[in-house]
Amino acid sequence: MRREPFDKMNVVPFIDIVLVLLVIVLATATFVTNQTIKVDLPTASSQKDEETKSITIAINKEGEYFYNKEALPFEQIKERLLKLDPKKDIVSLHTDQKSEFQNFVNVIDILKEKGFENISIVTKR
C-alpha cells in the first residue's frame, strides 16, 4: 500500500468548530454584560400581589445604625428585624469600610437567626 504525500489540509471541520465556539461566546457575552436576563413575564388573571418590603440597614464609621435612613439604636433595629417576614422581605446591608466588623456581625447574626433568605451586602466596584 502506497501513501500519498501530505500536501493539503482540510480546514472545513476546523471552520465549523470555530463558528460554533464564536456563537457560544457571543451568546454568553450578552449575559455577562447585562448581568441579568431580561424576561417579559406572561400575565394571568389570578395574579396575586405579594407585599414585599425592601429594608435598608446602614452602619456608618462611628458605629451608628440606620434603618431606612432613620438613626436607631441597635436594640430597636433588632426588634424591627424580628418583626419582618424572612421569606418575603429583602434586606440590604450597607456598612462603612472603617466601621467595626462586630457591628456588621451583629446584624448578620440577627438575620441568620431569623432565617432571612433575601440578604444583599452592598459594596462598591
Side-chain angles (χ1 to χ4, degrees):
M1 184 178 252
R2 191 169 177 182
R3 290 186 145 182
E4 293 182 25
F6 182 75
D7 57 350
K8 291 192 231 177
M9 186 168 129
N10 190 3
V11 294
V12 175
F14 177 72
I15 292 171
D16 290 342
I17 292 171
V18 170
L19 287 176
V20 168
L21 290 175
L22 181 65
V23 168
I24 291 171
V25 167
L26 291 176
T28 57
T30 58
F31 296 130
V32 172
T33 302
N34 296 338
Q35 294 182 346
T36 59
I37 300 172
K38 294 181 181 177
V39 177
D40 189 18
L41 296 174
T43 58
S45 61
S46 63
Q47 179 181 1
K48 181 180 177 185
D49 291 333
E50 290 188 26
E51 295 181 22
T52 60
K53 295 178 186 173
S54 181
I55 307 301
T56 303
I57 296 176
I59 306 169
N60 65 9
K61 62 183 175 183
E62 286 84 26
E64 298 171 325
Y65 294 91
F66 295 87
Y67 185 93
N68 287 340
K69 298 182 181 180
E70 178 184 355
L72 293 174
F74 176 71
E75 291 302 320
Q76 287 185 359
I77 289 185
K78 182 177 180 178
E79 290 173 10
R80 289 189 182 190
L81 286 175
L82 292 176
K83 291 178 185 176
L84 297 175
D85 185 3
K87 300 213 184 280
K88 288 184 186 176
D89 299 329
I90 302 168
V91 177
S92 298
L93 185 56
H94 302 251
T95 306
D96 192 284
Q97 65 181 351
K98 295 182 181 175
S99 69
E100 289 186 30
F101 187 65
Q102 184 62 45
N103 297 332
F104 173 79
V105 171
N106 291 340
V107 175
I108 291 294
D109 192 37
I110 295 169
L111 297 173
K112 183 178 175 185
E113 176 184 309
K114 181 75 174 175
F116 275 86
E117 296 177 358
N118 299 316
I119 301 171
S120 63
I121 300 169
V122 180
T123 61
K124 284 192 289 186
R125 280 192 173 192

